[in-house]
């Protein structure tokens, strides 16, 4: 290796150094360097994308809206179906990353936009969605958080709930049921995966389960 003749290195070390160098190239040497951060944002807007920063009264950055020109094109083409979900603690400040995704003509998920903020705030997400050009009509797919129903009503979209969130919750809810653990999980799986002809049929199945 150049500069260190005769030395041998573990590939894990070289791989970590490669990742570190790539990260430094993207973000700069200082993780708190706003000039590099804003330069990336300006590059997005220069190409027709959207990059918005929100600051409080002390000029502290607390939220970012980001949509590249490619994200914008996907949202315009396939935005009739929009899925939104938040990932918590994406940075050392405990911020939440909310990504809006669509499904393209090949059945692949594509990013339409992203929001980083202190929490899953419905009013902030509406502000961002208006700037991103989210249209009315179609379907909005979210978890059970209150902001999902609020945004679905505002944008006049059918509201679908993510079954995966309920699938992961079922074992936790059944943990203290003893012998009823397995029957409870089977019922839950049925509600989530069976096809019901309409809402009344699902309500009837739930009521029947409640009286078992």
């Amino acid at each position: 290796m150049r500069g260190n003749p005769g030395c041998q290195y573990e590939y894990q070390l070289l791989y970590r150094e490669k990742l570190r160098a790539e990260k430094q190239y993207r973000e700069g040497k200082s993780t708190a360097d706003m000039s590099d951060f804003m330069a990336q944002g300006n590059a997005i807007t220069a190409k027709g994308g959207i990059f918005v920063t929100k600051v409080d009264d002390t000029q502290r950055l607390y939220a970012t809206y980001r949509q590249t020109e490619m994200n914008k094109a996907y949202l315009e083409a396939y935005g009739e179906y929009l899925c939104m979900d938040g990932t918590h603690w994406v940075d050392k400040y405990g911020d939440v990353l909310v990504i809006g995704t669509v499904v393209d003509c090949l059945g692949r998920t594509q990013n339409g936009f992203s929001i980083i903020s202190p929490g899953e705030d419905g009013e902030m997400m509406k502000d961002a969605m208006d700037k991103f050009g989210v249209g009315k009509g179609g379907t909005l797919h979210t978890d059970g958080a209150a902001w999902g129903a609020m945004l679905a009503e505002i944008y006049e979209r059918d509201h679908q709930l993510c079954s995966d969130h309920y699938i992961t919750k079922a074992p936790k809810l059944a943990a203290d049921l003893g012998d009823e653990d397995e029957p409870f999980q089977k019922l839950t799986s049925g509600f989530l995966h069976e096809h019901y002809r309409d809402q009344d049929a699902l309500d009837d199945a739930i009521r029947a389960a409640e009286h078992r």
Side-chain angles (χ1 to χ4, degrees):
M1 177 174 287
R2 185 183 302 172
N4 295 284
C7 293
Q8 293 185 345
Y9 296 87
E10 292 286 339
Y11 76 90
Q12 294 96 335
L13 173 62
L14 296 176
Y15 182 67
R16 288 196 300 270
E17 283 299 305
K18 178 177 180 291
L19 292 180
R20 183 193 61 77
E22 291 175 348
K23 185 174 186 294
Q24 182 173 302
Y25 176 78
R26 292 193 310 269
E27 303 175 8
K29 294 182 179 180
S30 172
T31 56
D33 191 344
M34 290 299 294
S35 60
D36 288 339
F37 175 72
M38 295 306 298
Q40 292 183 37
N42 292 335
I44 290 173
T45 56
K47 294 180 179 179
I50 294 173
F51 184 80
V52 176
T53 55
K54 296 285 186 177
V55 297
D56 59 21
D57 294 337
T58 65
Q59 296 302 299
R60 175 183 175 275
L61 175 69
Y62 69 88
T64 306
Y65 307 161
R66 183 179 185 276
Q67 183 187 53
T68 67
E69 74 277 12
M70 188 63 71
N71 297 153
K72 187 175 183 179
Y74 276 121
L75 183 64
E76 289 176 351
Y78 305 108
E80 184 176 352
Y81 173 84
L82 179 62
C83 178
M84 295 176 64
D85 194 16
T87 300
H88 293 248
W89 283 95
V90 295
D91 56 31
K92 65 181 180 181
Y93 306 106
D95 288 327
V96 177
L97 169 65
V98 176
I99 296 180
T101 60
V102 299
V103 179
D104 68 15
C105 59
L106 299 177
R108 295 176 177 175
T109 300
Q110 305 290 350
N111 287 352
F113 57 80
S114 62
I115 306 165
I116 294 181
S117 64
E120 296 184 57
D121 181 88
E123 291 298 330
M124 181 178 293
M125 281 190 269
K126 179 187 179 301
D127 178 60
M129 290 167 69
D130 286 342
K131 288 180 170 60
F132 293 140
V134 175
K136 292 187 176 182
T139 300
L140 179 64
H141 189 110
T142 72
D143 60 14
W147 58 263
M150 182 193 82
L151 294 175
E153 182 177 357
I154 291 172
Y155 290 95
E156 299 175 7
R157 289 174 173 251
D158 293 331
H159 188 206
Q160 290 185 350
L161 295 177
C162 175
S163 61
D164 187 65
H165 284 77
Y166 292 91
I167 291 170
T168 56
K169 286 180 180 179
K172 297 177 183 178
L173 295 172
D176 298 326
L177 295 180
D179 294 338
E180 295 299 317
D181 182 327
E182 186 174 344
F184 174 82
Q185 294 201 52
K186 285 184 178 179
L187 282 172
T188 303
S189 179
F191 295 146
L192 294 172
H193 296 106
E194 289 183 17
H195 177 71
Y196 295 91
R197 66 180 183 276
D198 52 33
Q199 183 65 46
D200 290 339
L202 174 59
D203 291 341
D204 289 343
I206 293 174
R207 280 192 290 269
E210 289 175 341
H211 290 89
R212 287 186 56 176

